[in-house]
Amino acid sequence: MPGFPLRRHLVLALSLALASPLLMAQQAAPAANPGPADQNNPQNPADPRHHDKNDPHADDLGRVEVTASPIGNPLAKPVSVLAGEKLDEARAGNLGDTISTIPGVQSSNFGAGVGRPVIRGMDGPRVAVMSNGMATQDVSTVSQDHSPAVEPFLADQIEVLKGPSTLLFGSGAIGGAVNVVDGRIPEAPIDNGIQGRTELRYDTGSHGNTGMFRLDGGNKNFALHADGVRRDDGDYAIPHGTQANSYVRTGTGSLGASWLGDWGFVGINASRYLDNYGNPGEPGEPGVLGSGVHLQMRQERYELRGGLPKLWNGGGLKFSFAHTDYNHVEFEDGTPGTTFFKKANEGRVEGSFDLAGWKSAVGVQASDSSFRAIGEEAFISPTTTHAFGVFAVAKRSWKPVDVELGVRGDDVRSRTSDGLSAKFHPLSASMGASWKFAQGWRLNLNLDHAERAPAEEELFANGPHIATLAFERGNPLLRREASNQIDLGLKYFSSRFDISGNIYANRVNGFIYLADTGETWFWEGGDRDLPVRQWTQANARFRGAEADATWHLTPDKDYRLDLRLYADVVRATLANGDNLPRIAPSRLGAQLHFEQGAWRTSLGAVRVDRQDRVAPGETSTPGYTSVDAHAAYHVDDGGLSWEIFADGRNLTNQVQRVHTSFLKDEVVLPGRSFSIGVRAYF
């Protein structure tokens, strides 16, 4: 029966997630919600990630502050956070691959150098990628071969908000948001004078090296920050050879400083991001150095951020500003082809307060950007975009029910150098409720209406887009997208189980997509005809489910043995019944995690189903099973902590194709590979 494996995996995961605590209720006494993590754990003053092995909730969301929310951790909305040891195990060379083990999240993948997040089937301009709550202001939404200018190896934590997140981040977050928190501007005093971390690793698949460092120093009134990453990965190995032109060379670093006190903090940071990576879809001549298509990126960014938390009873102010200067050059056989430039300024101010029992925040956000491209692939005219938004969010508790409300209005205006213009006024609203109906149990409901202004490429494209091998035509008459989503979630926490599951349905009015016109355009540079595709609109439906369950098998032992099961599925169709292209296949994963003393190990496998629910003209993608393993040995020695680690990926050396990628028919994921390295904390 078509689609049976998809339903089977989903039913199995949800059944395990919901039935396990009921079956084991007589064995497991409910545990109280964990309190904040002790950042001064006497067992290990150097490594704040260190936790009590008997605490099964050490990595739960309740122990981590979600910085993207101005009113505290959201109770009703589906949010996932990668931090600590889980983040260390997941770190990869790009953002999408780093967070792709989170249910509902996958990666677009355009080779090792590019991995933009895909959340619940949505990607590109519908998913906001941010650094410390501010847009990265790169051009990764313009083309699938453009990488987000963010470094996952420097992240303290990565926050993933699934579903519409436009209330806080504007119309670019109609499908979700990913916020990378890196601490480049210190927000709290540093008591130990100087502290930091460093890491070195070697990867056998790419014969690559990655090194990073971070230093924070100061006292109770002043703090300095410095960090840097250097990555040099060659073409990676695949099951039957080497993936040509898949190398990645990255260098990034920053300097920051903050003035701190009981009144709050004000800080600044300057950073530079350099990236050089190959496009494996255009590998060039075998064995010829410098052949094929590769990109060289440079971004300089300057940030100001501050917080005054005690200006009045129950709240204060937060503010931030960022200036970004970005460009990248696309080389073809060693010759510069197209250069993309973007300059942007963005500012945000939000105030928090308590009003009649409501924990609330109001804010304004404004941005101004200019974009231009020069060269063969300059398929968008120079464009300036101005955006301004006002938002308000509030949360209140009537035990055992918590309610969250929010509303936002935006004004977005774009104009090209040849006189085309468009303006939009997106309006978004959200209502969520969380009901603690029994000890350890929560039922969450979210209703969201979110609107998105079309992106520059959707409005004004008019030229060949070589990354997708098509001639693209924009449409300045596009109207705003409107998403209406309902999300129902269930969570359970006890000494034995951590369980969460969500089902959702999303109707998008005026969904913007590329449609084939049946015409062709002759590309002289490639001596071939390209299909002409037009940005157009039609109503669409997204629906799916996610589940994540961890069974703490040994809650009363001096060691930890956890079994994690997770699954996700998403379906996306147009109103005429056609499938949308590049929709992620369903997954079912399992992982066994063991900790005792200094040792930490895990072994996991994820089954990615065949995707044969494809759009007209799209090819299907075979399924595969990926087996991974991790091991680390951790030592605390006074003010110094260190660990040696080894990670193994795709241990069965299977051919793996990413259905969300434009390159799925030409490019495969790395074959069997191992990473070994050392981390230190002081």
Side-chain angles (χ1 to χ4, degrees), residues 50-83:
H50 191 84
H51 60 258
D52 182 352
K53 305 302 181 189
N54 292 320
D55 180 4
H57 300 281
D59 296 316
D60 289 344
L61 181 61
R63 304 293 296 262
V64 181
E65 178 188 359
V66 180
T67 64
S69 174
I71 55 173
N73 288 2
L75 294 173
K77 284 191 172 295
V79 179
S80 297
V81 177
L82 273 180

Side-chain angles (χ1 to χ4, degrees), residues 12-37:
L12 176 61
L14 289 175
S15 298
L16 287 169
L18 301 179
S20 296
L22 296 175
L23 294 174
M24 303 299 293
Q26 299 302 318
Q27 303 178 31
N33 289 333

Side-chain angles (χ1 to χ4, degrees), residues 4 97 114 128 180 229 251 269 301 319 412 431 479 521 589 614-615 623:
F4 174 73
D97 289 348
V114 184
V180 178
V229 171
N269 180 270
R301 186 174 173 95
F319 57 89
V412 183
M431 179 178 68
R479 65 187 187 277
W521 180 86
V614 295

Side-chain angles (χ1 to χ4, degrees), residues 205-340:
S206 63
H207 300 288
N209 301 283
T210 300
M212 67 80 63
F213 78 92
R214 170 177 174 166
L215 292 173
D216 294 278
N219 53 40
K220 64 180 181 179
N221 297 122
F222 188 74
L224 290 172
H225 170 93
D227 64 49
V229 171
R230 174 66 180 174
R231 179 180 298 106
D232 189 356
D233 291 343
D235 294 344
Y236 62 75
I238 59 177
H240 305 297
T242 301
Q243 189 70 64
N245 203 30
S246 60
Y247 72 89
V248 182
R249 299 187 181 99
T250 304
T252 182
S254 81
L255 293 173
S258 290
W259 179 33
L260 309 122
D262 294 337
W263 50 269
F265 78 96
V266 175
I268 57 174
N269 180 270
S271 63
R272 173 174 287 184
Y273 186 89
L274 304 174
D275 206 9
N276 181 348
Y277 58 90
N279 177 347
E282 299 286 344
E285 296 293 329
V288 178
L289 183 65
S291 68
V293 175
H294 68 277
L295 287 77
Q296 291 186 3
M297 176 200 300
R298 178 194 64 82
Q299 184 191 73
E300 294 178 352
R301 186 174 173 95
Y302 306 92
E303 295 183 71
L304 167 70
R305 188 161 68 251
L308 309 171
K310 301 177 181 179
L311 282 182
W312 49 74
N313 289 334
L317 282 177
K318 290 183 178 180
F319 57 89
S320 53
F321 174 82
H323 170 76
T324 305
D325 187 351
Y326 172 101
N327 72 66
H328 83 244
V329 183
E330 300 184 1
F331 289 85
E332 302 172 15
D333 295 327
T335 302
T338 307
T339 303
F340 291 81

Side-chain angles (χ1 to χ4, degrees), residues 4 35 47 100 103 149 174 215 260 390 418 543 554 596 598 619 656:
F4 174 73
D47 181 6
S100 61
I174 194 172
L215 292 173
L260 309 122
V390 179
D418 48 14
R543 57 271 194 204
T554 57
Q596 185 174 34
T619 57
Q656 303 176 358

Side-chain angles (χ1 to χ4, degrees), residues 136-149:
T136 55
Q137 297 292 359
D138 48 48
V139 298
S140 61
T141 64
V142 174
S143 179
Q144 290 75 17
D145 61 335
H146 298 172
S147 175

Side-chain angles (χ1 to χ4, degrees), residues 420-495:
L420 295 175
S421 64
K423 61 180 179 180
F424 303 92
H425 304 288
L427 180 65
S428 301
S430 176
M431 179 178 68
S434 179
W435 176 29
K436 186 176 181 181
F437 62 90
Q439 181 66 40
W441 288 92
R442 276 193 179 272
L443 182 66
N444 302 323
L445 174 67
N446 271 284
L447 302 174
D448 294 281
H449 173 81
E451 297 181 353
R452 180 179 77 90
E456 291 97 330
E457 62 272 19
E458 297 165 338
L459 292 167
F460 307 124
N462 188 29
H465 189 182
I466 308 306
T468 60
L469 291 177
F471 187 100
E472 294 185 12
R473 289 178 181 164
N475 182 359
L477 300 180
L478 291 174
R479 65 187 187 277
R480 54 195 175 178
E481 283 184 344
S483 163
N484 297 284
Q485 177 171 284
I486 181 171
D487 183 297
L488 184 64
L490 183 66
K491 293 185 177 182
Y492 176 78
F493 293 98
S494 75
S495 61

